[in-house]
Amino acid sequence: MREILGKAKTVRELLKGVKYSIDYYQREYKWHEKQIRELVDDLSEKFLEEYQPSHPRSKVADYPHYFLGSIIISKKDSIGYIVDGQQRLTSLTLLLVLLRNLQKDHAEKVNVDELIFSERYGQKSFNLHVDERTPAMDALYEGQSFDVTDRPESVQNLVQRYSDLETCFPEELREAALPFFIDWLLENVHLVEITAYSDDDAYTIFETMNDRGLSLSPTDMLKGYLLANIDENKRTAANSRWRDRIRELNDAGKEVEPDCFKAWLRSQYATKIRERKKGAKPEDFDRIGTEFHRWLRDAADTVGLHQSDDFYRFIDRDFDFYSRQYLRLIGAAQKPMPGLEHVLYNAQHGFTLQYMLLLAPLRPDDTEPVVNQKLALVARYIDILLTWRLWNFRTIAYSTMQYSMAQVIFSIRGLTADALATKLHESLVVEGREKGTFATNDRLRMHQQNRYPLHRILARLTDYVETQSGQPSRYMDYVSEGATRYEVEHIWADHPERHTSEFPHSADFAEHRNRIGGLLLLPKSFNASYGDLTYADKLPHYNSQNLLARSLNPQCYDRNPGFLRFKDQSGLPFTAHAQFNKADLETRSQLYREIAEQIWNPADLLGEVTV
């Protein structure tokens, strides 16, 4: 083995003016939304532990440091080829691109360009350079959209993960705190770069770090502790139950097993969460998230683990029950499941906190109908809460929502269905009064950061109008990716010169054009064919699309009994628009708000409870 170098580097030292590449056999970028959110949540939480608005920027030098892991590099011809760590470096580069774009309107900027790309011999290239990704990276760097149709998997993932970053990056870091956060990221976040000078040596290091030995996972250690406290005559049965459930959890996905334990134990046993202030100590909610196996040892008495029968029941009854429910919820988050549709809607907003909330009111002796009723109540509550926040330009990021959602968990644990419905309804009444509902924002508009969640809201509005008119649900079509995907379409084409009589200033036109009432969800092919036309030219074509788009056209109100019956029964102010000016847009926005109020109505929680 030749020389091996290992050095801890800051993000700035790692990326500034340094070129990395990826060999052809390791090109796929595989991270999912979950990993992106965890990266942002981990970084933002560590930063916010210390940040105070009163601090000068120089104070960031004293903030705590954060270790982001290691990367393994094979050095060839002055280029570093990434053997291990490309997922992390690619995601870190996307985060830097987002931070660059977020700074555009800030007076105080931190230079991150040199960490994203560099110039040699008059040629600019990205520091993490992969040829097939360059067009997408160029578009993201310039803040432009990019069509991923027929692009390789890595490119599709790259663009989607950037969209996830736009959605989940905390609101509290977007304004005054932004330069502080960037300083901290560049100077206080470290990675260990291990450099070898041959591929063989690099892969030997990789295998040594990942394959040698059989280190026990937290789940393995928890299993050992629990089984050791069960009498021999029951230990075999408990071990068999444990093994079967663990196999199912692992079959459901790579991180499902530890996530299940965290959600279960937090939902049933956590009583405190670390206060959001400097110097606050981690509480049981926080410890379960980082070391649930050690936490359970320390909390055994509180949990009720005193003798062999207690430990056996913990595996045979409790673990069996909550893991089965968790697996159901994971399935419901991936495709529509009757009675649990709202779990899917919440998952599509990336709201991973929902699982512990959903498990909180459940008891192992609940009947199946009671379990289903409780899950439906909590899922609907979350759906309303998230949509209200998004409608009012408020973040739903994990780091922002974790504390308040922990308080909800503590308040609903073990409640009956009736009590649960009442408690959740009361919580929404308070939330609406203090933070806002649909009525508190009549200027909802699409911008770069809310494009993805607004797409989901439009899908719900569109699907509701159609299903209430007697048509089958097409929600999954509206949110699916691929060549036939649906996109947000502006009713007004991007031609401010067509609207100067009402909007002398193009900025005012752009703001109104992006309002919710001026948007539709239509196939990508429709946008490509008709998107640039005038409203009068597009109107006939709307009549062949979904019902929400068709409702602009007078023909929608002829010989359309299902829709007309829904219109009359709902009292919604549907009306045709022969033209579409500013007043029409305001009318249309009011319609959308009233549809939203019917879909996301807190009173429905009380109606969910069967007497």
Side-chain angles (χ1 to χ4, degrees), residues 15-21 78-79 93 97 112-135 137-138 141-142:
L15 292 174
K16 182 179 178 181
V18 181
K19 296 293 184 185
Y20 296 99
S21 192
S78 76
I79 297 292
T93 300
V97 173
V112 296
D113 287 1
E114 57 191 3
L115 281 69
I116 301 170
F117 72 86
S118 56
E119 183 175 341
R120 289 184 181 178
Y121 308 111
Q123 297 293 315
K124 289 184 178 180
S125 61
F126 289 98
N127 291 349
L128 181 56
H129 178 72
V130 181
D131 284 335
E132 69 179 13
R133 302 182 189 175
T134 298
M137 288 297 296
D138 282 336
Y141 184 81
E142 297 298 335

Side-chain angles (χ1 to χ4, degrees), residues 75-91:
K75 202 79 168 182
K76 296 180 288 188
D77 300 324
S78 76
I79 297 292
Y81 286 83
I82 302 172
V83 174
D84 184 41
Q86 75 125 326
Q87 308 294 324
R88 195 176 297 114
L89 275 190
T90 301
S91 302

Side-chain angles (χ1 to χ4, degrees), residues 346 354 356-362 371-385 388 404-433 601-609:
N346 300 333
Q354 76 163 324
M356 61 188 83
L357 282 158
L358 288 160
L359 294 178
L362 304 187
V371 167
N372 292 338
Q373 192 172 56
K374 289 182 177 182
L375 292 176
L377 283 166
V378 178
R380 185 183 287 272
Y381 159 80
I382 297 169
D383 183 30
I384 296 170
L385 177 67
W388 276 358
S404 61
M405 292 299 95
Q407 308 307 316
V408 175
I409 288 170
F410 305 156
S411 71
I412 66 173
R413 182 173 292 145
L415 293 182
T416 64
D418 285 346
L420 178 63
T422 301
K423 174 63 73 172
L424 294 176
H425 182 266
E426 290 173 353
S427 178
L428 284 175
V429 170
V430 173
E431 174 74 20
R433 183 170 61 243
N601 184 357
D604 290 340
L605 290 169
L606 302 177
E608 284 272 359
V609 181

Side-chain angles (χ1 to χ4, degrees), residues 225-266:
Y225 167 66
L226 295 172
L227 291 179
N229 283 278
I230 298 176
D231 291 342
E232 270 190 57
N233 61 331
K234 289 187 175 181
R235 192 177 298 158
T236 299
N239 184 48
S240 178
R241 173 79 74 188
W242 180 279
R243 186 176 59 245
D244 291 344
R245 282 281 166 261
I246 292 295
R247 184 186 302 116
E248 288 184 68
L249 290 169
N250 286 327
D251 287 346
K254 184 178 179 182
E255 297 294 326
V256 172
E257 172 204 288
D259 288 347
C260 173
F261 280 97
K262 294 172 188 177
W264 163 35
L265 297 176
R266 279 174 162 174

Side-chain angles (χ1 to χ4, degrees), residues 304-339:
L305 300 177
H306 305 293
Q307 53 190 6
S308 173
D309 285 348
D310 301 328
F311 284 87
Y312 180 77
R313 183 171 58 250
F314 192 74
I315 290 178
D316 187 63
R317 185 194 69 176
D318 296 356
F319 175 50
D320 178 69
F321 173 77
Y322 288 105
S323 62
R324 280 190 290 108
Q325 300 308 324
Y326 188 82
L327 285 166
R328 282 186 68 207
L329 295 173
I330 291 296
Q334 297 169 351
K335 61 181 180 180
M337 190 175 291

Side-chain angles (χ1 to χ4, degrees), residues 60-80:
V60 175
D62 300 326
Y63 284 14
H65 291 244
Y66 184 83
F67 177 58
L68 198 55
S70 61
I71 63 171
I72 302 174
I73 302 297
S74 175
K75 202 79 168 182
K76 296 180 288 188
D77 300 324
S78 76
I79 297 292

